[in-house]
Protein backbone atom coordinates (compact mmCIF):
# COMPACT_ATOMS: atom_id res chain seq x y z
CA UNK A 1 0.00 0.00 0.00
CA UNK A 2 1.36 3.41 -1.00
CA UNK A 3 0.48 6.65 0.78
CA UNK A 4 0.88 10.00 -0.94
CA UNK A 5 1.55 13.02 1.26
CA UNK A 6 2.05 15.34 -1.71
CA UNK A 7 -1.08 17.48 -1.22
CA UNK A 8 -0.45 17.90 2.51
CA UNK A 9 3.18 18.80 1.89
CA UNK A 10 2.20 21.42 -0.72
CA UNK A 11 -0.33 22.92 1.69
CA UNK A 12 2.25 23.12 4.48
CA UNK A 13 4.81 24.67 2.12
CA UNK A 14 2.28 27.31 1.03
CA UNK A 15 1.39 28.11 4.63
CA UNK A 16 5.09 28.44 5.52
CA UNK A 17 5.53 30.83 2.59
CA UNK A 18 2.60 32.98 3.77
CA UNK A 19 3.99 32.92 7.32
CA UNK A 20 7.40 34.10 6.03
CA UNK A 21 5.83 37.02 4.14
CA UNK A 22 3.76 38.07 7.18
CA UNK A 23 6.84 38.04 9.39
CA UNK A 24 8.76 40.07 6.79
CA UNK A 25 5.96 42.66 6.67
CA UNK A 26 5.92 42.91 10.47
CA UNK A 27 9.68 43.41 10.62
CA UNK A 28 9.65 46.06 7.88
CA UNK A 29 6.70 47.85 9.50
CA UNK A 30 8.38 47.83 12.90
CA UNK A 31 11.61 49.13 11.41
CA UNK A 32 9.82 52.00 9.67
CA UNK A 33 7.93 52.91 12.85
CA UNK A 34 11.13 52.78 14.92
CA UNK A 35 13.01 54.97 12.44
CA UNK A 36 10.20 57.54 12.43
CA UNK A 37 10.18 57.73 16.24
CA UNK A 38 13.98 57.90 16.38
CA UNK A 39 13.92 60.77 13.90
CA UNK A 40 11.34 62.75 15.88
CA UNK A 41 12.57 62.09 19.42
CA UNK A 42 16.35 61.71 19.06
CA UNK A 43 17.84 62.71 15.73
CA UNK A 44 15.72 65.83 15.19
CA UNK A 45 16.56 67.45 18.53
CA UNK A 46 20.26 66.64 18.14
CA UNK A 47 20.27 68.20 14.67
CA UNK A 48 18.56 71.32 16.06
CA UNK A 49 21.15 71.54 18.85
CA UNK A 50 23.96 71.25 16.30
CA UNK A 51 22.34 73.99 14.22
CA UNK A 52 22.15 76.21 17.30
CA UNK A 53 25.84 75.66 18.08
CA UNK A 54 26.73 76.46 14.46
CA UNK A 55 24.62 79.64 14.60
CA UNK A 56 26.35 80.69 17.80
CA UNK A 57 29.79 80.00 16.30
CA UNK A 58 28.95 82.16 13.27
CA UNK A 59 27.40 84.98 15.29
CA UNK A 60 27.65 84.74 19.09
CA UNK A 61 25.27 87.68 19.49
CA UNK A 62 22.67 86.12 17.20
CA UNK A 63 19.39 84.56 18.20
CA UNK A 64 19.67 81.46 20.36
CA UNK A 65 16.07 80.31 20.04
CA UNK A 66 15.27 77.92 17.22
CA UNK A 67 11.61 77.84 16.25
CA UNK A 68 10.16 74.35 15.74
CA UNK A 69 9.46 73.92 12.05
CA UNK A 70 7.40 70.74 12.08
CA UNK A 71 4.33 69.72 14.04
CA UNK A 72 6.29 66.75 15.46
CA UNK A 73 8.91 69.17 16.83
CA UNK A 74 6.17 71.13 18.58
CA UNK A 75 4.71 67.94 20.07
CA UNK A 76 8.11 66.85 21.38
CA UNK A 77 8.75 70.31 22.89
CA UNK A 78 5.36 70.30 24.62
CA UNK A 79 5.88 66.87 26.20
CA UNK A 80 9.22 67.79 27.80
CA UNK A 81 11.55 64.95 26.88
CA UNK A 82 15.19 64.93 27.98
CA UNK A 83 16.41 66.03 24.56
CA UNK A 84 14.15 69.07 24.80
CA UNK A 85 15.61 69.84 28.21
CA UNK A 86 19.09 69.66 26.71
CA UNK A 87 18.00 71.94 23.87
CA UNK A 88 16.59 74.51 26.26
CA UNK A 89 19.75 74.32 28.39
CA UNK A 90 21.89 74.94 25.31
CA UNK A 91 19.72 77.94 24.40
CA UNK A 92 20.13 79.35 27.91
CA UNK A 93 23.88 78.78 27.88
CA UNK A 94 24.01 80.67 24.58
CA UNK A 95 22.06 83.55 26.10
CA UNK A 96 24.38 83.61 29.13
CA UNK A 97 27.42 83.62 26.84
CA UNK A 98 25.97 86.59 25.01
CA UNK A 99 25.46 88.49 28.25
CA UNK A 100 28.86 87.49 29.64
CA UNK A 101 30.94 88.23 26.56
CA UNK A 102 29.06 91.28 25.36
CA UNK A 103 29.85 92.95 22.07
CA UNK A 104 33.60 93.09 22.77
CA UNK A 105 34.15 89.40 23.45
CA UNK A 106 31.55 88.05 21.04
CA UNK A 107 33.63 88.83 17.96
CA UNK A 108 36.75 87.17 19.39
CA UNK A 109 34.85 84.09 20.58
CA UNK A 110 32.98 83.84 17.27
CA UNK A 111 36.21 83.88 15.25
CA UNK A 112 37.81 81.37 17.61
CA UNK A 113 34.88 78.94 17.38
CA UNK A 114 34.64 79.27 13.60
CA UNK A 115 38.34 78.58 12.94
CA UNK A 116 39.24 75.98 15.56
CA UNK A 117 37.45 72.81 16.58
CA UNK A 118 38.12 73.65 20.23
CA UNK A 119 38.50 76.85 22.19
CA UNK A 120 42.01 78.27 21.85
CA UNK A 121 42.63 80.87 24.59
CA UNK A 122 45.87 82.05 22.95
CA UNK A 123 44.20 83.65 19.92
CA UNK A 124 45.27 87.31 19.78
CA UNK A 125 42.65 89.75 20.99
CA UNK A 126 41.48 93.05 19.60
CA UNK A 127 41.62 96.47 21.24
CA UNK A 128 38.19 98.06 21.63
CA UNK A 129 37.32 101.43 23.08
CA UNK A 130 34.10 101.29 25.10
CA UNK A 131 32.15 103.14 27.75
CA UNK A 132 30.87 101.04 30.63
CA UNK A 133 28.19 102.11 32.99
Amino acid sequence: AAFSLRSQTRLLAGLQLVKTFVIMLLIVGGSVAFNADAQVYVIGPIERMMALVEKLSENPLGATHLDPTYDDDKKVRDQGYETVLLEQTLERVGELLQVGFGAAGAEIIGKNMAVHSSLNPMVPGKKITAIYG
Side-chain angles (χ1 to χ4, degrees):
F3 295 102
S4 176
L5 300 175
R6 183 176 188 173
S7 63
Q8 293 168 342
T9 305
R10 281 187 171 198
L11 177 65
L12 285 175
L15 291 174
Q16 289 295 329
L17 191 61
V18 169
K19 178 180 162 184
T20 301
F21 283 127
V22 168
I23 290 173
M24 284 175 44
L25 286 175
L26 289 174
I27 290 173
V28 168
S31 173
V32 168
F34 178 77
N35 283 338
D37 285 346
Q39 178 66 36
V40 170
Y41 296 114
V42 178
I43 297 171
I46 290 174
E47 286 177 348
R48 285 193 302 273
M49 285 185 264
M50 288 175 55
L52 178 61
V53 169
E54 287 174 5
K55 277 177 78 173
L56 285 173
S57 71
E58 291 170 4
N59 182 11
L61 293 179
T64 60
H65 182 68
L66 295 175
D67 293 325
T69 53
Y70 302 106
D71 291 335
D72 289 340
D73 295 344
K74 293 175 186 173
K75 268 192 261 180
V76 170
R77 277 191 169 267
D78 292 341
Q79 292 187 8
Y81 291 106
E82 288 85 1
T83 53
V84 174
L85 181 65
L86 286 172
E87 251 183 295
Q88 292 170 347
T89 302
L90 189 59
E91 289 172 1
R92 289 186 187 128
V93 166
E95 291 169 1
L96 288 173
L97 286 174
Q98 290 173 354
V99 170
F101 291 136
E107 186 177 341
I108 296 168
I109 297 298
K111 285 181 182 177
N112 194 333
M113 289 174 69
V115 174
H116 303 290
S117 62
S118 63
L119 189 64
N120 182 4
M122 300 310 291
V123 171
K126 182 178 178 182
K127 187 174 184 177
I128 294 179
T129 306
I131 299 173
Y132 299 99

